[in-house]
Amino acid sequence: MPDRFAEDNRLSPRLVWSGPPEGARSFALAVTDPDLPDAFNFPRSFAHWLVTNIPVEVRELPEGASGSLRLPHGAAEFNSDFVTFKIPGFGKGYGGPWPPDRAHRYFFTLYALKTDKVELPADADLGAFAAAVMPVAIDAASFVAVYGPAKKSLPA
């Protein structure tokens, strides 16, 4: 994963897809890290970016879409787990890789949904995202990026 998308850089990467399955009416995106150190005692993958309600006609999230007018109209972003861990400077939208110990895997998963819209509260976490998205998912496609270890420490 290129440095410009990691650590304290808030620039989201460009993502492009094609060939949605028949019946798809919207998309959702989750970027997660399953390699959080055991010392964090966190029961699930760390969410770096959660997006729902991406219109079905969209085939790309351009570089820098998170938190900007480049995010498709109607799409909704949610807090990354940097907010869960109260790391200063983070809020809704993309929080890139910042692995404290070693290289981590970052799973980018795009879900094709059979509904136009998923209703979630503004403070939804990965568990709420999954509970809303999985029952209406038709298909999913993923790729894995690797980054780490971090070049600087997380802010306190």
Side-chain angles (χ1 to χ4, degrees):
M1 181 151 231
D3 288 348
R4 73 180 187 272
F5 304 122
E7 299 186 29
D8 57 358
N9 300 320
R10 300 299 191 287
L11 185 67
S12 58
R14 177 179 183 231
L15 301 173
V16 179
W17 59 92
S18 62
E22 187 174 323
R25 294 176 55 190
S26 70
F27 299 101
L29 171 72
V31 179
T32 58
D33 169 4
D35 297 327
L36 200 64
D38 291 339
F40 283 84
N41 197 30
F42 200 54
R44 59 171 172 76
S45 292
F46 188 99
H48 284 270
W49 197 16
L50 301 172
V51 186
T52 61
N53 306 334
I54 301 168
V56 71
E57 65 274 4
V58 170
R59 296 292 181 273
E60 172 183 356
L61 293 179
E63 185 172 303
S66 180
S68 80
L69 294 175
R70 287 172 264 168
L71 193 69
H73 179 71
E77 294 184 285
F78 300 92
N79 291 336
S80 71
D81 277 323
F82 288 111
V83 174
T84 306
F85 280 91
K86 297 179 175 53
I87 305 297
F90 287 90
K92 282 188 192 309
Y94 180 76
W98 207 328
D101 56 341
R102 59 184 168 78
H104 286 203
R105 298 166 296 156
Y106 297 89
F107 287 76
F108 288 72
T109 304
L110 184 72
Y111 299 91
L113 308 180
K114 62 182 176 183
T115 184
D116 294 326
K117 191 170 186 178
V118 173
E119 297 292 338
L120 282 168
D123 63 348
D125 65 5
L126 181 59
F129 175 93
V133 166
M134 297 313 286
V136 294
I138 297 170
D139 202 355
S142 296
F143 71 89
V144 179
V146 177
Y147 179 81
K151 293 170 179 60
K152 49 188 155 185
S153 297
L154 282 165

